[in-house]
Amino acid sequence: MPQLRLALNQIDSTVGDLAANAEAIVRWTRHSAERGAHLAAFPEMALTGYPVEDLALRSSFVEASRAALRDLAARLADEGLGELPVIVGYLDRSESAQPKYGQPAGVPQNAAAVLHRGRIALTFAKHHLPNYGVFDEYRYFVPGDTMPVVRLHGVDIALAICEDLWQEGGRVPAARSARAGLLLSINASPYERDKDDTRLDLVRKRAQEAGCTTAYLAMIGGQDELVFDGDSIVVAPDGEVIARAPQFAEECVVLDLDLPAAEDAPTGVVDDGLRIDRVVLSEDPLPAYEPERTGGQAERLEDDAEVYSALVVGLRAYVTKNGFRSVLIGLSGGIDSALVAAIACDAVGAENVYGISMPSKYSSEHSKDDAAELARRTGLNFRTVPIEPMFAAYMDSLGLTGLAEENLQSRLRGTLLMAVSNQEGHIVLAPGNKSELAVGYSTLYGDSVGAYGPIKDVYKTSIFQLAQWRNRAAEERGETPPIPENSITKPPSAELRPGQVDTDSLPDYPVLDAILDLYVDQDKGADTITAAGFDRDLVVKTLRMVDTAEYKRRQYPPGTKISAKGFGKDRRLPITNRWREHM
């Protein structure tokens, strides 16, 4: 059987930074060549970054992407890398689609190209366009209608892009019809909790359907609320895993494959109306060589480690890709701000994390002590600025009571944080979690201020779990656990009035989060949730809180998405809305 050494480069790209992305592709191509690769591949839209959103509708950006692709092909040849075919994702436009209503302006395409000997040997566009969850690809792209097949060293390689594997039909059965020896899919599939298992099952199934070895190349890094976790996979035709890349790390996976020899195959239109577009780069198989890289699977992260890594990568990407150097956190001594601080220290380094304790007359001594202890354990920069003088001035002027008095404390803290941010150049991190955001248990322009919410998509019960995991991981490495034990064990409280605890206003978090998971994440109705064993009155009360808090969530900053349905692009509900599920 012909042999082929494949290099899968799971790299991090930045949206819009064509020059830096091209530089990374050249650097990793050189690395692939040095390791003897015969084919190098890069993720979906690696040249432009992903997702580009409405940049796809700007003709100037589309043309810049096309020009960058041509320049990249020439540069690879100029630097002595032209003999190594390179597959790279980029933004293109259709040359044949006619403008029509309901179609994206400029007919842009989520495309990929094969670069070889200084030229663009083949281009193709994504066939299946996702239009669910965070994806709006019908808004941005027109689909491709070809089945691209590249013959390289006597092997036929069918090519696909991300959703082409996730949907039934299309390029997977077409690869079988084209008698391909390898199906290679380039992807930018965002991370979700437990998605790695779903992804593995998918690739196994598609390999069996295509009847050939299947390589799934993934992106890593972060873009706004999305995190990409890598985890590239190569699977044999029978579903056996040949190789699996690490999670949350750039990596070049190099793999020697024995693949079926190319044979006479059909031309013209095959499955799903796809037209085979075949390009021959080299007919003859390589001289036989001793395989050096036969596979291997990177160690898998346990569930809590995986989620925590996603939160770290998401925050780091947001900070660094937007040109910031440091972050600012209000430290209350509670579990939420403590976990955010730990994530921030791991993401950007403790020397770039600034924490401020802002006690009021209602702040307990243990909360002040816990904030200071967190700073000591992590090494972050720490100061204390009491808000009592500011609070007294407002109260003397306005005479506020009740909820207005409570919220004033939170808003004073928010104002103080933003003032320091403006003065010193840090970005503020909002510490709200998904449980609080769901039911509106937060103060607009108070604890909701900030540029980014690292735990925005993490339920409160998971907050405790992640904090315990992070401390345990530190102990196993012989390090000081970053989060004070008291922050984990004491009852959660906003401390805006004497003796206040969260359960004064909310159900116990395990119960609340279970209801929220059914309503928010799974879109179950009140009757279904009640039938699952929850008290009807509690369900009605909880759903009412969720429904009436949409205006708050709409004003909350972006934050790392780890669930299948985060607040934002995943879950889009009108603010003005009189429908009540529980009526």
Side-chain angles (χ1 to χ4, degrees), residues 120 211 262 317 418 453:
I120 301 169
M418 292 309 301

Side-chain angles (χ1 to χ4, degrees), residues 132-198:
Y132 54 85
V134 299
F135 304 107
D136 287 313
E137 295 208 0
Y138 281 129
R139 173 184 174 89
Y140 304 126
F141 305 122
V142 296
D145 59 2
T146 65
M147 178 65 251
V149 179
V150 175
R151 183 164 295 179
L152 177 64
H153 300 308
V155 176
D156 277 347
I157 304 166
L159 303 174
I161 301 176
C162 203
E163 194 72 10
D164 293 339
L165 258 65
W166 287 91
Q167 297 294 332
E168 299 288 341
R171 284 185 172 141
V172 173
R176 178 183 283 273
S177 297
R179 300 174 191 170
L182 172 67
L183 172 59
L184 172 57
S185 177
I186 62 173
N187 311 274
S189 177
Y191 169 79
E192 293 171 10
R193 187 196 296 261
D194 300 326
K195 192 175 184 178
D196 55 335
D197 296 328
T198 302

Side-chain angles (χ1 to χ4, degrees), residues 346-523:
D346 290 335
V348 300
E351 68 278 9
N352 298 309
V353 179
Y354 292 76
I356 303 181
S357 172
M358 299 168 284
S360 73
K361 66 180 181 180
Y362 299 125
S363 299
S364 62
E365 287 301 318
H366 64 73
S367 290
K368 290 183 281 188
D369 292 343
D370 291 340
E373 176 64 10
L374 171 74
R376 186 194 67 78
R377 289 173 176 234
T378 60
L380 60 80
N381 304 280
F382 181 70
R383 75 190 94 168
T384 298
V385 182
I387 65 167
E388 185 56 34
M390 294 174 270
F391 180 68
Y394 269 87
M395 292 300 291
D396 289 344
S397 299
L398 298 174
L400 302 177
T401 61
L403 185 61
E405 178 186 3
E406 293 180 24
N407 286 344
L408 173 61
Q409 297 166 72
S410 182
R411 292 193 175 110
L412 286 171
R413 291 178 174 125
T415 299
L416 194 157
L417 287 170
M418 292 309 301
V420 173
S421 171
N422 292 159
Q423 182 70 25
E424 300 179 4
H426 321 299
I427 64 166
V428 177
L429 301 183
N433 60 65
K434 191 171 186 177
S435 305
E436 295 173 348
L437 295 179
V439 296
Y441 192 63
S442 62
T443 302
L444 278 179
Y445 326 118
D447 56 329
S448 65
V449 303
Y452 200 74
I455 57 172
K456 174 184 180 180
D457 197 29
V458 185
Y459 283 121
K460 189 78 170 190
T461 47
S462 293
I463 298 292
F464 288 103
Q465 189 171 327
L466 290 172
Q468 291 167 336
W469 173 85
R470 181 61 183 86
N471 278 1
R472 188 168 63 252
E475 290 173 344
E476 291 171 355
R477 294 194 295 263
E479 301 169 354
T480 300
I483 300 173
E485 187 63 26
N486 196 47
S487 294
I488 298 174
T489 57
K490 66 186 177 185
S493 171
E495 293 193 331
L496 298 177
R497 64 175 183 266
Q500 182 184 31
V501 291
D502 289 3
T503 50
D504 294 341
S505 305
L506 303 175
D508 287 336
Y509 279 112
V511 176
L512 175 64
D513 290 351
I515 295 174
L516 294 176
D517 177 70
L518 290 168
Y519 188 51
V520 173
D521 294 61
Q522 301 184 43
D523 286 317

